[in-house]
């Protein structure tokens, strides 16, 4: 009997590939704990036709050439380490595929064994860490309705609400979206969204471009000790390096932006690389050539991403990462002279809004020994806002009056310089430790003034003669110091422990916290895991809150006007929470995963008014409006979140995937009036059902046609009965204080559909995609707004604002 050797199989396979379009797959295999390359790691393409095998070099780098385009699966192995399969990766003709893989060392000693190429193409990876969801960039493209935005993609996960079409806020388990921490390359960064306002963590359009992202991580609470200054969750973004051997380009034209991406080697000899992306608002381009897009309020934005990487022979690896965005919009309603069919909020003002954001990070990673690395980072992040509002006064026939008195002007600057350092050491296969710190210098320059007008101020001269009320006027700097230490112990192959302590000290007012974190993970069967996590977390208040000038202060239990303009909120402490999560994961089959989590979170030290009131900072951070306290605030508020989450996920395999995620939850808070209220984010339930099909089409079945759909259903937005008299006095919605969030709009529901076609030419890859958002045109209510009728000032001034209707989005992407 003749034996066909692996070499013969490989040669036969290679002969078949000559008639196919192929691509190169390469990357680096590293130790999971410390990131050091694993020389000699074996990488194999798994295929029913045969195998292609590569071995990593002395630095852990590997290269597989001649990989056929289409969906392919790979297996990564290394002696003494757990094997890692990576399945159904899309290989296209236009760009080489970069797969960087982490392998985990076995906790038990193993005799050296021969690593052989395996023909098993039906292996799945092990389950993920407690409360963490690792996601790939493909998921940001594959999920319908995600708009290539990592934040909107995360809204598909259990425990995350995605019921606001106008913003990509991440509401985790009933927490305010302002409780989210954005991190990039191990540095905490400002809100990475266009048109972002102070005190928020979301916006209508992301600055982040998925073309420079590597696989990243999303935490939904009780997160490890290397994260802090957050109450709700963590979005930890990783940037990839450019191709170190080949120059590649991507051009994309779509409704949300026109973009160009370039990457390649700076020096093939040293392995230095660059990666650069630039995106500009397509609607602004249309407006520039006088193309009518149906509105004069055209959002203008542009953003850039840059990654430079410089490995050296003996001095470690130096890198620079940076992102930035500019955005502006002019909403000119003084030119609107015809009464609309439906009134809506803010018809009474012209608005000029500009926001900028940027961050640059210089990193140095140095290997002290084969089991220890040290990383040092210098970073600077900045966020600015420049906004003016002018009141549009109208006659009874809705025609605007000539004079437009200014009623709002603010200019915010917040910069943060960061020195970060850590050392991470794997003591042995069972134990590893990481210790480090963040030293942040925060520089601010805040100015805000406003005129408060009533419904019955009908003369422009009356408003112009009013004095502006200065709500903030501060220029200063202070420090936030954050040391931490974490320790991982693996008792055996089944049971592991992760514990640590994170601490914060704010020099602005001398407030400090010490926060223990601990989690256990028990894989009691090969396909089942139990997990338990606990964390004490704290977060400083939105920076401008410390310097806001309240109208009144409390002295000896007596409310008095703040005539001296004291910064009465400067001494606010950190808000704090305790979070406990119990999880259970099971792979019912090799590609069907079921996950459920029970959680409880108690929050305290939350700022509320020092006079009896329902106002709480737990309700802030999810709109385009900033909250300015009119009374002194104190850390006396509390909150409570609890619920259960359930996910069934069919991992993409054999041309299809699907995922169901659902959660039942309750989110309440207590203000200074002692009354327990629903938070603004207490929808009580939310679910997503999404899936997709993929077909190989075209000559040689080398092209890919895919379809996807998503249905979202969730509890409607909370709202309150309105105090009409108080609303008329300030021309804004004022809730009845004793009935806050006692009402709820109808449930939110939306159906999205996506179709894409990938064409693999010999050297160029093309993708055409169409997303149909809210394909049924469902009218979901977002909020109540104050919009009095100039023809009848005694009529009900409240109107319902509706979310997006049907919205088609397209793009064409070319890789070459």
């Amino acid at each position: 009997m003749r034996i066909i050797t692996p070499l013969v199989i490989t040669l036969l396979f290679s002969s078949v590939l000559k008639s196919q379009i192929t691509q190169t797959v390469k990357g680096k295999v590293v130790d999971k704990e410390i990131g050091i390359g694993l020389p000699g790691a074996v990488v194999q393409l798994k295929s029913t036709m045969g195998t292609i095998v590569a071995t990593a070099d002395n630095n852990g780098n590997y290269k597989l050439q001649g990989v056929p385009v289409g969906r392919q699966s790979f297996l990564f192995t290394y002696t003494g380490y757990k094997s890692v399969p990576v399945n159904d990766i899309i290989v296209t003709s236009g760009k080489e595929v970069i797969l960087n893989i982490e392998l985990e060392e076995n906790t038990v000693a193993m005799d050296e064994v021969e690593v052989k190429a395996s023909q098993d193409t039906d292996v799945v990876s092990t389950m993920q860490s407690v409360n963490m969801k690792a996601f790939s960039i493909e998921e940001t493209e594959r999920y319908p309705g995600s708009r290539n935005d990592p934040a909107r993609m995360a809204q598909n996960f259990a425990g995350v609400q995605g019921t606001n079409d106008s913003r990509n806020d991440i509401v985790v388990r009933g927490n305010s979206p302002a409780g989210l921490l954005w991190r990039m390359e191990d540095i905490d960064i400002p809100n990475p969204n266009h048109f972002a306002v102070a005190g928020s963590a979301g916006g209508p359009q992301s600055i982040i471009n998925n073309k420079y992202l590597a696989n990243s991580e999303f935490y939904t609470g009780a997160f490890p000790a290397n994260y802090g200054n957050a109450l709700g969750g963590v979005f930890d973004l990783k940037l990839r390096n450019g191709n170190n051997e080949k120059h590649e380009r991507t051009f994309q034209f779509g409704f949300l932006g026109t973009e160009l991406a370039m990457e390649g080697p700076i020096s093939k000899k040293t392995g230095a690389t660059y990666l650069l992306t630039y995106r500009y608002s397509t609607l602004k381009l249309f407006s520039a050539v006088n193309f009518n897009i149906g509105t004069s309020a055209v959002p203008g934005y542009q953003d850039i991403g840059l990654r430079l990487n410089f490995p050296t022979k003996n001095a470690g690896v130096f890198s620079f990462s940076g992102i930035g965005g500019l955005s502006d919009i002019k909403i000119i309603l003084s030119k609107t002279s015809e009464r609309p069919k439906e009134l809506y909020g803010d018809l009474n003002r012209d608005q000029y809004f500009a926001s900028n954001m940027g961050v640059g990070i210089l990193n140095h990673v140095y290997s002290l020994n084969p089991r220890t690395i040290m990383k040092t980072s210098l970073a600077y992040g900045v966020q600015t806002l420049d906004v003016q509002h002018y009141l549009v006064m109208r006659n009874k026939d809705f025609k605007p009056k000539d004079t437009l008195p200014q009623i709002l002007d603010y200019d915010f600057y917040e910069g943060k310089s960061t020195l970060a350092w850590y050392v991470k050491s794997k003591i042995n296969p069972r134990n590893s430790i990481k210790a480090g710190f963040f030293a942040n210098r925060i520089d601010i320059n805040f100015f805000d003034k406003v005129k408060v007008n009533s419904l019955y101020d009908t003369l422009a001269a009356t408003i112009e003669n009013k004095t502006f009320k200065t709500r903030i006027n501060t220029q200063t700097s202070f420090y936030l110091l954050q040391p931490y230490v974490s320790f991982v112990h693996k008792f055996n192959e089944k049971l592991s422990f992760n514990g640590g302590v994170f601490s914060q000290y704010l020099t602005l007012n001398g407030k400090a916290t010490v926060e223990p974190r601990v989690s256990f993970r028990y894989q009691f069967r090969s396909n089942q895991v139990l997990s338990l996590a606990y964390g004490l977390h704290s977060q400083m208040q939105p920076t401008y809150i410390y310097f806001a000038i309240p109208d009144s202060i409390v002295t000896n239990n007596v409310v008095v006007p703040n005539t001296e303009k004291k910064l009465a909120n400067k001494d606010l402490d950190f808000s704090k929470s305790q979070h406990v999560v119990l999880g259970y994961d099971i792979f019912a089959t090799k590609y069907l995963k079921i996950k459920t989590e029970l959680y409880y979170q108690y929050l305290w030290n939350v700022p509320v008014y020092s006079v009896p009131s329902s106002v709480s900072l737990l309700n802030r951070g999810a709109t385009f409006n900033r909250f300015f306290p009119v009374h002194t605030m104190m850390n006396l508020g509390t909150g409570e979140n609890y619920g259960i989450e359930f996910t069934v996920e069919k991992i993409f395999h054999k041309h299809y995937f699907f995922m169901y995620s659902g959660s039942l939850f309750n989110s309440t808070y207590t203000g200074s009036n002692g009354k327990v209220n629903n938070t603004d984010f207490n929808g009580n339930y939310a679910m997503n059902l999404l899936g997709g099909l993929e077909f190989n089409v075209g000559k040689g079945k080398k092209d890919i046609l895919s379809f996807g759909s998503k249905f979202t259903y969730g509890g409607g937005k909370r709202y309150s009965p309105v105090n009409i008299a108080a609303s008329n006095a300030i021309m804004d919605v004022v809730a009845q204080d004793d009935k806050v969030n006692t009402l709820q709009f109808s449930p939110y529901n939306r159906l999205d559909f996506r179709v894409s076609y990938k064409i693999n030419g010999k050297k160029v890859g093309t993708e055409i995609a169409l997303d149909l958002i809210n394909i049924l045109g469902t009218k979901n209510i977002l909020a109540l707004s104050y919009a009095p009728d100039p023809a009848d000032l005694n009529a009900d001034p409240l109107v319902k604002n509706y979310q997006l209707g049907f919205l088609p989005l397209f793009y064409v992407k070319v890789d070459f």
Side-chain angles (χ1 to χ4, degrees):
M1 184 182 211
R2 292 187 67 181
I3 298 177
I4 302 179
T5 66
L7 177 60
V8 174
I9 295 176
T10 302
L11 291 174
L12 291 173
F13 189 40
S14 300
S15 66
V16 175
L17 296 180
K18 290 181 180 179
S19 60
Q20 296 183 341
I21 296 176
T22 63
Q23 186 55 276
T24 296
V25 177
K26 61 186 181 182
K28 189 172 185 178
V29 186
V30 300
D31 179 276
K32 183 177 181 179
E33 299 296 334
I34 56 175
I36 292 177
L38 299 177
V42 174
V43 186
Q44 58 176 302
L45 167 70
K46 304 183 299 179
S47 172
T48 55
M49 298 174 59
T51 64
I52 301 178
V53 181
T55 302
D57 64 16
N58 289 335
N59 295 314
N61 297 308
Y62 73 91
K63 181 191 290 187
L64 286 171
Q65 294 179 307
V67 178
V69 298
R71 292 274 180 183
Q72 302 295 345
S73 296
F74 306 87
L75 183 64
F76 295 79
T77 57
Y78 188 66
T79 302
Y81 282 70
K82 297 177 182 178
S83 299
V84 171
V86 181
N87 296 312
D88 295 290
I89 298 297
I90 288 186
V91 180
T92 62
S93 60
K95 287 180 71 69
E96 294 183 344
V97 177
I98 310 296
L99 279 181
N100 296 318
I101 300 298
E102 297 176 335
L103 299 186
E104 181 181 357
E105 189 172 5
N106 292 310
T107 58
V108 295
M110 296 178 62
D111 294 331
E112 187 173 339
V113 295
E114 181 182 359
V115 180
K116 298 181 179 179
S118 169
Q119 293 299 317
D120 182 9
T121 62
D122 202 24
V123 183
V124 295
S125 60
T126 56
M127 283 161 275
Q128 294 163 348
S129 302
V130 184
N131 301 319
M132 189 270 285
K133 170 67 176 177
F135 66 93
S136 66
I137 303 313
E138 185 194 344
E139 288 178 290
T140 67
E141 300 175 340
R142 183 198 304 162
Y143 289 178
S146 294
R147 312 184 200 178
N148 292 343
D149 180 354
R152 283 191 165 91
M153 181 275 299
Q155 293 173 350
N156 294 290
F157 300 152
V160 183
Q161 296 182 56
T163 55
N164 187 339
D165 298 340
S166 63
R167 296 173 58 90
N168 62 4
D169 292 308
I170 300 177
V171 177
V172 179
R173 294 174 174 170
N175 285 280
S176 164
L180 180 79
L181 171 71
W182 285 100
R183 178 170 288 188
M184 185 180 82
E185 289 297 304
D186 294 320
I187 294 292
D188 300 348
I189 65 173
N191 182 350
N193 285 283
H194 291 292
F195 308 103
V197 298
S200 71
Q205 173 66 36
S206 179
I207 289 173
I208 298 166
N209 192 317
N210 64 357
K211 292 176 178 59
Y212 51 67
L213 289 182
N215 290 354
S216 302
E217 298 173 348
F218 177 64
Y219 291 86
T220 54
F223 30 85
N226 55 312
Y227 300 104
N229 202 25
L231 297 178
V234 176
F235 222 124
D236 192 353
L237 303 171
K238 308 295 184 184
L239 272 59
R240 68 180 181 87
N241 294 323
N243 195 316
N244 62 356
E245 295 180 320
K246 180 183 177 183
H247 295 279
E248 297 177 324
R249 295 159 297 278
T250 297
F251 174 77
Q252 181 170 314
F253 176 78
F255 184 87
L256 295 178
T258 300
E259 356 181 344
L260 178 65
M262 300 181 293
E263 63 178 287
I266 297 174
S267 168
K268 293 184 179 180
K269 181 178 179 181
T270 64
T273 62
Y274 71 91
L275 193 161
L276 175 67
T277 67
Y278 176 75
R279 174 171 53 192
Y280 192 84
S281 167
T282 300
L283 295 181
K284 198 70 173 179
L285 286 176
F286 286 164
S287 176
V289 296
N290 296 321
F291 185 87
N292 186 6
I293 60 175
T295 178
S296 60
V298 180
Y301 54 86
Q302 53 187 313
D303 49 66
I304 190 171
L306 176 64
R307 170 75 171 180
L308 303 174
N309 192 62
F310 300 94
T312 67
K313 183 174 285 188
N314 298 313
V317 178
F318 294 86
S319 64
F320 176 82
S321 305
I323 64 172
L326 310 176
S327 52
D328 69 273
I329 189 169
K330 299 176 182 178
I331 305 175
I332 309 299
L333 296 173
S334 56
K335 296 182 180 179
T336 302
S337 58
E338 294 184 4
R339 181 185 179 88
K341 293 181 181 179
E342 293 183 354
L343 288 173
Y344 55 92
D346 291 340
L347 267 178
N348 65 343
R349 63 189 61 192
D350 285 352
Q351 303 177 55
Y352 300 83
F353 183 97
S355 67
N356 303 323
M357 174 269 177
V359 61
I361 305 168
L362 179 63
N363 286 323
H364 176 233
V365 179
Y366 184 75
S367 176
L368 298 175
N369 59 54
R371 287 187 173 271
T372 305
I373 65 165
M374 180 178 68
K375 184 173 184 178
T376 306
S377 303
L378 287 171
Y380 182 73
V382 64
Q383 194 159 28
T384 68
L385 286 162
D386 185 13
V387 180
Q388 297 85 36
H389 287 186
Y390 296 85
L391 185 65
V392 178
M393 309 183 74
R394 299 184 182 277
N395 298 307
K396 290 186 177 182
D397 61 1
F398 208 77
K399 287 183 169 45
K401 297 180 180 179
D402 293 335
T403 305
L404 300 173
Q406 186 176 16
I407 57 173
L408 176 66
D409 182 15
Y410 71 88
D411 189 359
F412 275 26
Y413 167 92
E414 182 171 350
K416 184 172 70 171
S417 306
T418 300
L419 168 64
W421 175 90
Y422 72 74
V423 60
K424 184 162 57 173
S425 179
K426 186 165 70 171
I427 302 169
N428 54 47
R430 291 179 182 270
N431 299 286
S432 62
I433 188 170
K434 179 180 180 180
F437 66 83
F438 299 92
N440 306 284
R441 175 189 165 102
I442 300 172
D443 297 283
I444 63 165
N445 190 350
F446 294 153
F447 175 76
D448 178 286
K449 64 179 182 179
V450 65
K451 286 184 178 180
V452 180
N453 310 293
S454 79
L455 175 67
Y456 304 104
D457 289 329
T458 57
L459 298 177
T462 301
I463 297 174
E464 287 186 321
N465 291 330
K466 284 188 175 184
T467 302
F468 274 102
K469 180 177 77 172
T470 300
R471 296 190 292 187
I472 191 169
N473 186 12
T474 298
Q475 182 175 0
T476 189
S477 61
F478 54 93
Y479 292 86
L480 177 65
L481 308 178
Q482 302 168 299
Y484 65 90
V485 61
S486 63
F487 178 76
V488 175
H489 175 69
K490 300 173 184 177
F491 297 93
N492 50 50
E493 291 292 327
K494 295 182 178 181
L495 180 63
S496 62
F497 163 84
N498 188 330
V501 177
F502 186 92
S503 183
Q504 301 196 88
Y505 176 70
L506 185 62
T507 64
L508 175 68
N509 51 25
K511 303 300 183 182
T513 68
V514 178
E515 307 165 23
R517 317 280 175 81
V518 61
S519 67
F520 291 90
R521 184 177 186 273
Y522 179 43
Q523 188 166 353
F524 60 97
R525 291 185 180 176
S526 61
N527 66 331
Q528 297 181 59
V529 170
L530 279 174
S531 58
L532 177 66
Y534 163 81
L536 172 61
H537 306 279
S538 70
Q539 185 178 28
M540 63 179 287
Q541 311 310 326
T543 311
Y544 78 94
I545 291 292
Y546 294 103
F547 305 97
I549 304 171
D551 294 345
S552 67
I553 59 177
V554 178
T555 303
N556 298 323
N557 295 321
V558 178
V559 180
V560 297
N562 186 15
T563 55
E564 297 180 7
K565 306 298 181 183
K566 293 182 178 179
L567 303 183
N569 297 316
K570 193 174 181 179
D571 202 43
L572 285 172
D573 200 351
F574 294 91
S575 295
K576 300 177 181 180
S577 81
Q578 298 192 71
H579 204 153
V580 181
V581 184
L582 176 65
Y584 171 69
D585 293 52
I586 178 174
F587 269 102
T589 68
K590 291 183 177 180
Y591 290 91
L592 182 64
K593 178 182 178 180
I594 300 172
K595 181 182 183 69
T596 185
E597 288 189 342
L598 290 165
Y599 68 89
Y600 177 81
Q601 183 183 22
Y602 177 73
L603 302 102
W604 77 100
N605 253 32
V606 177
V608 294
Y609 280 156
S610 55
V611 298
S613 169
S614 64
V615 170
S616 171
L617 282 191
L618 288 182
N619 285 329
R620 308 305 167 188
T623 69
F624 293 101
N625 298 320
R626 298 159 303 145
F627 165 73
F628 274 93
V630 296
H631 303 294
T632 307
M633 305 199 82
M634 301 179 68
N635 294 97
L636 298 177
T638 62
E640 188 178 53
N641 299 317
Y642 59 87
I644 183 171
E645 300 164 0
F646 183 71
T647 302
V648 179
E649 181 179 7
K650 161 60 172 63
I651 298 171
F652 192 98
H653 185 62
K654 293 188 176 179
H655 307 292
Y656 77 100
F657 81 96
F658 68 80
M659 183 174 75
Y660 169 83
S661 65
S663 58
L664 298 173
F665 61 96
N666 195 49
S667 177
T668 59
Y669 76 97
T670 303
S672 58
N673 59 4
K675 184 177 177 59
V676 178
N677 300 301
N678 294 299
T679 67
D680 286 5
F681 316 105
N682 192 20
N684 291 130
Y685 58 91
M687 60 85 71
N688 293 285
L689 179 62
L690 61 153
L693 294 170
E694 193 172 279
F695 303 95
N696 296 99
V697 297
K699 186 177 180 181
K701 302 294 184 181
K702 60 182 176 58
D703 302 331
I704 298 175
L705 177 65
S706 61
F707 301 92
S709 187
K710 169 189 165 184
F711 178 67
T712 299
Y713 189 81
K717 296 286 185 180
R718 293 281 177 177
Y719 71 106
S720 312
V722 176
N723 185 328
I724 298 297
S727 299
N728 288 338
I730 65 170
M731 296 189 71
D732 200 358
V733 174
V734 178
Q736 295 182 20
D737 195 69
D738 61 338
K739 298 179 181 178
V740 168
N741 287 338
T742 55
L743 304 175
Q744 190 172 18
F745 292 123
S746 299
Y748 174 97
N749 69 92
R750 195 182 86 197
L751 180 65
D752 301 333
F753 181 77
R754 173 181 170 84
V755 58
S756 73
Y757 187 58
K758 293 184 175 71
I759 304 169
N760 285 302
K762 288 185 177 182
K763 294 184 178 181
V764 177
T766 305
E767 180 183 8
I768 305 170
L770 176 66
D771 268 286
L772 303 176
I773 311 297
N774 194 9
I775 193 171
L776 299 180
T778 305
K779 296 185 70 174
N780 294 299
I781 302 174
L782 177 63
L784 289 178
S785 66
Y786 183 83
D789 187 347
D792 185 4
L793 296 183
N794 294 317
D796 185 357
L798 303 177
V799 296
K800 294 177 180 177
N801 282 350
Y802 289 92
Q803 306 211 48
L804 289 177
F806 172 62
L807 177 65
L809 302 174
F810 75 93
Y811 69 80
V812 178
K813 181 172 66 175
V814 181
D815 296 321
F816 55 99

